[in-house]
Amino acid sequence: MKAALLRAFGAPLTWEEVQTPVPGPNDVLIQVMACGTDGTDLKLLEGFGYRPELPFIMGHEPAGLVAQVGDSVRDFQVGDRVISYNFFHCGRCHNCRRGREQICPHLDRILGVRGVPGGYADYLCIPARQAVPIPSEIPWEDAAVLCDAGCTAFHAVDRARVKLGETVVIFGVGGVGSFAVQFAKLAGARVIAIEQSANKVHWAESLGVDVALDASVVDVSKEIQHLTNDWGVDCVIDIVGREETLTLGVNVLCNGGRLVIVGYTPDSYSLSGKHFAQNELEVIGTRCGRRRDLDQAAQLLAQGKVRSIVTERYPLKDVNAAHQRLQSGEVLGRLVLDIPQQPSSTAS
Ligand SMILES: [Zn+2]
């Protein structure tokens, strides 16, 4: 099969012929039809954060058709449409048993990120328990971006406990944010989106937010005070995670408000214990999502309750150009790589 290989950090991927993986008794082989890309891929390319053993096949948002199943697999058949749940959790620890598998302390492998080759290839192989069926209504490119963007956004809004009639600020309307604003609206909130350019503000408006503010031209804190009659907002979902967004986020919360941290950077933020205690503020961390978040996000997309966030498509063989485009910071929503139709044979 063909795959885009990461052979050296800081260098472009190389497009090569490699061995097609062979599924074990509990695995499924998936013919990749589309694969999303995001900032995690750019970090991987540079070797920041995660540093997989090289050579490595990236791609943590794959969608495709089951091409072959292992002898012991009962839940999937050849031809099923699936996406992947990327966290290879132990399934036995306290967190896994409570359905919080994404914070399993034994997570050692993440598809397309560390330890398991991902979707920048014609095929990938995962244990059947990591595969998630997707409804036929969802096009491949939209299915792909559920793996990370959809799952993370659904989980963040769930963790945020967004309620009918609340006001929620969301910092960052990229891939995750484009789903998060829609899920928060579905939960019944008034949503204020904060972005950094006119284009992204227009994009946020097209997703149905109540107000979109361009932080490069307005004083966000003042605008939010004005929009809430000096009361503040019930919840801030920070998908950026810089010191300035964390600071601003805390400052615009009403008493009893919740700061939900989804995105992060190397930045730290020192908090005032007195301010948090006396105003009963909450800080909630959230990491990607559980398998059931992925299921639920897929259902909402299939039902047409949220719209597609995919705005650009590149063929997989042009992945380096796609990464350059991503690096520009101008992509709205998500960019997706398409894998051309393959013959059904898995040979070579
Ligand atoms: Zn576990």
Side-chain angles (χ1 to χ4, degrees):
M1 68 172 185
K2 288 282 193 188
L5 259 63
L6 176 61
R7 287 201 167 273
F9 296 113
L13 302 183
T14 56
W15 183 240
E16 295 181 36
E17 188 71 31
V18 299
Q19 197 69 40
T20 303
V22 177
N26 296 302
D27 297 337
V28 290
L29 182 72
I30 298 168
Q31 180 186 349
V32 182
M33 303 301 284
C35 188
T37 62
D38 70 359
T40 300
D41 296 310
L42 298 182
K43 285 181 193 158
L44 272 172
L45 279 175
E46 298 303 322
F48 290 133
Y50 298 105
R51 283 178 75 88
E53 264 184 52
L54 304 184
F56 186 67
I57 301 175
M58 299 161 46
H60 61 285
E61 288 192 328
L65 285 168
V66 173
Q68 207 178 320
V69 296
D71 290 342
S72 305
V73 173
R74 297 288 171 267
D75 297 337
F76 292 98
Q77 293 179 343
V78 170
D80 284 350
R81 303 173 94 242
V82 294
I83 53 178
S84 74
Y85 179 68
N86 291 339
F87 287 1
F88 285 55
H89 51 103
C90 81
R92 296 181 300 277
C93 74
H94 184 63
N95 285 344
C96 284
R97 289 201 314 270
R98 285 189 304 165
R100 300 186 73 183
E101 58 271 20
Q102 86 288 15
I103 50 168
C104 168
H106 310 298
L107 272 184
D108 51 351
R109 294 179 299 156
I110 304 174
L111 182 119
V113 173
R114 183 172 64 193
V116 192
Y120 283 11
D122 291 337
Y123 294 92
L124 65 88
C125 184
I126 54 175
R129 73 166 190 169
Q130 301 291 139
V132 178
I134 45 153
S136 58
E137 296 90 335
I138 307 180
W140 289 118
E141 66 269 22
D142 294 331
V145 301
L146 287 169
C147 296
D148 184 8
C151 187
T152 302
F154 190 93
H155 187 59
V157 173
D158 190 54
R159 290 276 292 156
R161 310 193 303 275
V162 175
K163 289 186 263 318
L164 187 65
E166 286 193 332
T167 299
V168 176
V169 161
I170 298 185
F171 283 109
V173 188
V176 174
S178 296
F179 275 130
V181 295
Q182 298 186 78
F183 293 146
K185 281 298 294 177
L186 276 178
R190 173 200 198 195
V191 175
I192 303 172
I194 317 293
E195 256 301 348
Q196 290 277 2
S197 73
N199 269 355
K200 291 195 171 173
V201 161
H202 290 147
W203 167 248
E205 285 167 347
S206 77
L207 297 168
V209 302
D210 296 279
V211 181
L213 300 175
D214 183 348
S216 66
V217 294
V218 301
D219 181 331
V220 169
S221 185
K222 265 193 193 153
E223 288 291 326
I224 291 173
Q225 274 180 357
H226 172 69
L227 288 164
T228 60
N229 296 319
D230 291 328
W231 179 253
V233 302
D234 302 285
C235 181
V236 169
I237 300 179
D238 187 352
I239 308 174
V240 177
R242 295 217 180 91
E243 189 180 354
E244 66 251 43
T245 56
L246 292 165
T247 306
L248 187 55
V250 170
N251 289 341
V252 299
L253 284 178
C254 67
N255 290 358
R258 311 178 297 281
L259 173 71
V260 178
I261 303 176
V262 187
Y264 55 88
T265 64
D267 287 6
S268 295
Y269 165 68
S270 57
L271 57 84
S272 152
K274 182 182 172 190
H275 183 64
F276 271 75
Q278 293 206 337
N279 299 306
E280 292 210 345
L281 302 182
E282 289 179 56
V283 186
I284 300 167
T286 168
R287 180 186 204 191
C288 193
R290 304 156 296 186
R291 197 188 145 111
R292 67 172 179 268
D293 296 308
L294 193 48
D295 274 328
Q296 286 181 271
Q299 293 306 323
L300 291 174
L301 194 59
Q303 292 161 13
K305 293 195 171 161
V306 292
R307 55 159 281 188
S308 171
I309 66 159
V310 177
T311 60
E312 297 187 38
R313 296 164 68 169
Y314 281 69
L316 176 62
K317 67 178 177 47
D318 296 339
V319 60
N320 290 314
H323 284 158
Q324 271 183 8
R325 172 69 185 146
L326 202 56
Q327 195 89 54
S328 74
E330 287 167 10
V331 174
L332 302 172
R334 249 318 186 249
L335 181 158
V336 168
L337 300 163
D338 286 312
I339 290 82
Q341 290 289 140
Q342 303 297 312
S344 55
S345 158
T346 60
S348 88

